[in-house]
Amino acid sequence: MGEFELIRRCFMQAAQGPGVVTGIGDDCAVLQVPDGQQLVVSIDTLVEGVHFLPGTAPEQVAWRLLGAAVSDLAAAAATPAWLTLALTLPQADPVWLEPFAAALATRARELGISLVGGDTTRGPCLTLSAQVHGWVPAGQALLRSGARAGDRILVSGTLGDSRGGLETLLQPTPSNRNVDWLQQRFYRPEPRVELARQLRPWLQAGLDISDGLLADLQHVLDASAAGAVVERDQVPCSAALLNSYPQQAQEWALSGGEDFELCLAVAPADVAACMAVAERLGVALTDIGRFCAEPGLTVVTADGCPVDGLARGYDHFKEST
Amino acid sequence: MGEFELIRRCFMQAAQGPGVVTGIGDDCAVLQVPDGQQLVVSIDTLVEGVHFLPGTAPEQVAWRLLGAAVSDLAAAAATPAWLTLALTLPQADPVWLEPFAAALATRARELGISLVGGDTTRGPCLTLSAQVHGWVPAGQALLRSGARAGDRILVSGTLGDSRGGLETLLQPTPSNRNVDWLQQRFYRPEPRVELARQLRPWLQAGLDISDGLLADLQHVLDASAAGAVVERDQVPCSAALLNSYPQQAQEWALSGGEDFELCLAVAPADVAACMAVAERLGVALTDIGRFCAEPGLTVVTADGCPVDGLARGYDHFKEST
């Protein structure tokens, strides 16, 4: 089976959806952005052995790829629409490709995104780049800039779970309910698309937490020319993480990375409205501190003392190679 | 220098252009498709050692990446607008990254496309995925479907030069004017954007030639449910290719691949109008045969005899690995 037939067979099933004029199979996909909406795009790469462990099941690769990519649309408060996939793999192996494509199609449907094009090539290392496309009413995309002194810092869900899930894979422990749940948080991130869309009217700035809370919050500070104070003990940790890794939970919640939760700037007067939306959607939303005029990012204890020596998140190129 | 600083420093220079509301530096790019236009997108991957030789100069990688990617927009008769880049490389080496980014910015400007986002990650093998975005008046994208029995087959430029250029690299020969020109055709493909846009009113179907004329023409036949007869001696070869590789020129013109010229279906009555446009733009346009109702792709000699045993183009996964 040649390249063309392989791609056709595995990926055609996911090719239809709103706004798709011409999907997979031509030189380009032809797409219709609705009137009054702006296009929002982001591209993300996963490399085997760098972003996921060698031998990870194809379904888990598909979940993680889509979860991370669609989370960038949530970070812009956009509505997911279309996906393209650049897939590089050592060989065209149906034993890997078929379950990958099936999981991608299922998860894409759940996330409301349609595969409209791609490129499959041979290369020595399994590498996947997903570009996601969405739309947002003109002028209303959520950006990193716009946080103002006095705004509260809200985060969705619980933080550090993905790092905990990774730890259970690096240092395997007997399977139990906590371990299974943490691994699911690692493998199958749940982008906060609906939360971001419904909160959009009240959001001053925000992003999704992919490098770790402190590193990503610093991006908001840089873009907004603001400072921030985070109350360490308010940063939400799951019971599963606290039970499994009581010593590390707090550090991982601050710096673990790949949580794919939202970090948002909201005026104090709007916090209650945001909390009500989150409650209706069944997503935790926690006030963890405030933006301020003084530059810098400070983490404080419950009694207001600054905490020093915190790791500031993940940078691929600072790793030893 | 960390990942973020590296990306900012190398790629920020290319971040502005028409329709760019928010470019590089946020979670997503925010983009405005003009009223009445449809969005057209395509993603393409280059892998070192598969699509280009190890050690290829970073400038040449940038030219080739952009030429191949923008050619897909020409294949849809679209206007180039925006580019995103997923770059995976073994190390964040400024000696490679800076000339790559500079050449990318220059070539992007020449091609009328703006870099609006990307993802740079570490991985064992240099891998580049470029997604291009353009627009086309609603309903007017050039597709592979739509060729009708009786339509003429037109191709732009000359074919096989890129394959000839590759040969000069695989089996080095002394540099001369022909060799330099063939290598330029390999390294620096010239997407036929303006030709496709100006011919658009007369085009029934078409694509760009990336896998080889015969393989790509077969894609048009599949999508259009038509057959075709190609007159072998009409397929345009450059003097440089004929002089350097007289034995192989014809085969490479039919099957060599990566020409990034256009192959178009045009009604006989419209051929003269198309030729006039091409002449005004200074691009060769050659009538090489016709579409027909009988299925199948036949290559014939000047006296009408079918030619057998032709290679049908390049398939990454059929190569020995």
Side-chain angles (χ1 to χ4, degrees):
Chain A
M1 182 168 58
E3 179 189 7
F4 307 114
E5 182 53 28
L6 176 79
I7 295 165
R8 205 171 7 246
R9 217 181 61 173
C10 284
F11 291 112
M12 280 304 269
Q13 56 191 316
Q16 285 311 310
V20 181
V21 181
T22 303
I24 290 175
D26 217 293
D27 291 79
C28 290
V30 184
L31 306 166
Q32 181 71 58
V33 178
D35 284 350
Q37 307 283 312
Q38 287 173 334
L39 175 70
V40 163
V41 305
S42 175
I43 192 163
D44 267 300
T45 300
L46 296 185
V47 181
E48 185 170 37
V50 178
H51 302 90
F52 59 92
L53 301 172
T56 297
E59 295 86 350
Q60 291 167 329
V61 174
W63 297 339
R64 194 148 169 61
L65 179 73
L66 272 183
V70 172
S71 183
D72 276 324
L73 294 176
T79 302
W82 311 300
L83 169 73
T84 57
L85 175 65
L87 178 59
T88 303
L89 67 177
Q91 59 205 21
D93 176 6
V95 171
W96 191 91
L97 267 173
E98 285 172 4
F100 172 80
L104 192 81
T106 302
R107 189 71 181 126
R109 206 158 36 236
E110 290 168 1
L111 294 171
I113 199 162
S114 306
L115 183 67
V116 297
D119 188 20
T120 305
T121 60
R122 189 172 61 79
C125 182
L126 177 58
T127 304
L128 309 99
S129 291
Q131 168 143 340
V132 289
H133 313 65
W135 57 65
V136 67
Q140 294 183 36
L142 177 62
L143 301 177
R144 296 176 178 187
S145 55
R148 304 158 309 175
D151 284 345
R152 302 302 305 181
I153 305 168
L154 306 186
V155 298
S156 65
T158 52
L159 303 185
D161 301 325
S162 177
R163 180 65 186 81
L166 174 60
E167 193 71 12
T168 68
L169 298 166
L170 296 173
Q171 311 278 347
T173 51
S175 175
N176 63 43
R177 213 173 52 180
N178 287 341
V179 167
D180 295 349
W181 187 84
L182 292 173
Q183 289 191 359
Q184 158 131 336
R185 291 278 283 166
F186 174 78
Y187 279 130
R188 200 180 159 93
E190 191 62 53
R192 298 302 185 187
V193 169
E194 198 51 36
L195 181 68
R197 290 182 57 200
Q198 295 200 20
L199 293 182
R200 196 165 54 209
W202 299 292
L203 303 180
Q204 304 297 330
L207 45 50
D208 67 325
I209 302 171
S210 54
D211 297 318
L213 172 64
L214 297 184
D216 285 312
L217 186 52
Q218 187 64 53
H219 297 155
V220 176
L221 301 186
D222 293 343
S224 299
V229 179
V230 170
E231 299 164 39
R232 185 186 63 183
D233 298 347
Q234 298 302 314
V235 176
C237 287
S238 66
L241 186 67
L242 286 166
N243 285 334
S244 300
Y245 297 102
Q247 302 298 314
Q248 300 99 322
Q250 205 164 54
E251 185 198 329
W252 291 348
L254 290 171
S255 311
E258 309 199 317
D259 293 306
F260 303 113
E261 296 292 348
L262 298 175
C263 175
L264 305 168
V266 173
D270 296 330
V271 169
C274 293
M275 294 294 180
V277 167
E279 188 171 351
R280 201 171 60 236
L281 291 173
V283 181
L285 191 64
T286 308
D287 184 332
I288 64 163
R290 62 187 167 83
F291 291 93
C292 57
E294 308 75 49
L297 171 52
T298 310
V299 180
V300 298
T301 60
D303 54 9
C305 295
V307 180
D308 286 333
L310 294 164
R312 285 298 167 95
Y314 182 76
D315 181 335
H316 295 302
F317 286 114
K318 283 190 183 145
E319 287 190 294
S320 57
T321 50
Chain B
M1 184 166 58
E3 178 189 4
F4 307 114
E5 183 52 29
L6 176 80
I7 295 165
R8 204 170 10 246
R9 215 181 65 174
C10 285
F11 292 111
M12 280 305 269
Q13 57 190 319
Q16 284 311 309
V20 181
V21 181
T22 303
I24 289 175
D26 217 293
D27 291 80
C28 291
V30 184
L31 306 165
Q32 182 71 57
V33 178
D35 284 349
Q37 306 283 312
Q38 287 173 333
L39 174 70
V40 164
V41 304
S42 175
I43 192 163
D44 267 300
T45 300
L46 296 185
V47 181
E48 184 170 36
V50 178
H51 302 92
F52 59 92
L53 300 173
T56 297
E59 295 85 351
Q60 291 167 329
V61 174
W63 297 338
R64 192 146 169 63
L65 179 72
L66 272 183
V70 172
S71 182
D72 275 324
L73 294 176
T79 302
W82 311 301
L83 169 71
T84 57
L85 175 65
L87 178 59
T88 301
L89 68 176
Q91 61 207 20
D93 177 7
V95 172
W96 192 91
L97 267 172
E98 285 172 3
F100 172 81
L104 192 79
T106 302
R107 189 71 180 125
R109 207 159 33 237
E110 291 168 1
L111 294 171
I113 198 162
S114 306
L115 183 66
V116 297
D119 188 19
T120 306
T121 60
R122 190 171 60 77
C125 182
L126 178 57
T127 305
L128 309 98
S129 292
Q131 168 142 342
V132 289
H133 313 64
W135 57 63
V136 67
Q140 293 182 38
L142 178 62
L143 301 177
R144 297 175 176 186
S145 55
R148 304 157 309 176
D151 285 344
R152 302 302 304 181
I153 305 168
L154 306 186
V155 297
S156 66
T158 52
L159 303 185
D161 300 325
S162 177
R163 180 65 186 83
L166 174 61
E167 192 73 11
T168 69
L169 298 168
L170 296 174
Q171 311 278 348
T173 52
S175 175
N176 64 43
R177 211 173 53 180
N178 287 340
V179 167
D180 296 348
W181 188 84
L182 292 173
Q183 289 189 2
Q184 158 132 334
R185 292 278 285 164
F186 174 76
Y187 278 129
R188 202 181 157 94
E190 192 61 55
R192 300 301 186 187
V193 169
E194 199 51 36
L195 181 67
R197 290 183 56 199
Q198 295 199 23
L199 293 182
R200 197 166 52 209
W202 299 292
L203 303 180
Q204 303 298 329
L207 44 51
D208 68 324
I209 301 172
S210 54
D211 297 317
L213 172 64
L214 297 184
D216 285 312
L217 186 52
Q218 186 64 53
H219 296 155
V220 177
L221 302 187
D222 293 343
S224 300
V229 178
V230 169
E231 298 163 40
R232 185 186 63 183
D233 297 346
Q234 297 303 314
V235 175
C237 285
S238 66
L241 186 68
L242 287 165
N243 286 334
S244 301
Y245 298 102
Q247 302 300 315
Q248 299 100 321
Q250 203 164 56
E251 185 197 328
W252 290 348
L254 291 171
S255 311
E258 308 198 317
D259 293 306
F260 302 113
E261 296 292 348
L262 297 175
C263 175
L264 305 167
V266 172
D270 296 330
V271 168
C274 293
M275 295 294 182
V277 166
E279 189 171 350
R280 199 171 61 237
L281 291 173
V283 181
L285 191 63
T286 309
D287 184 333
I288 63 163
R290 61 185 167 85
F291 292 93
C292 57
E294 308 75 48
L297 172 51
T298 310
V299 179
V300 298
T301 60
D303 54 9
C305 296
V307 180
D308 285 334
L310 294 164
R312 285 298 168 94
Y314 182 76
D315 180 335
H316 295 301
F317 286 114
K318 281 187 186 150
E319 285 190 296
S320 57
T321 51

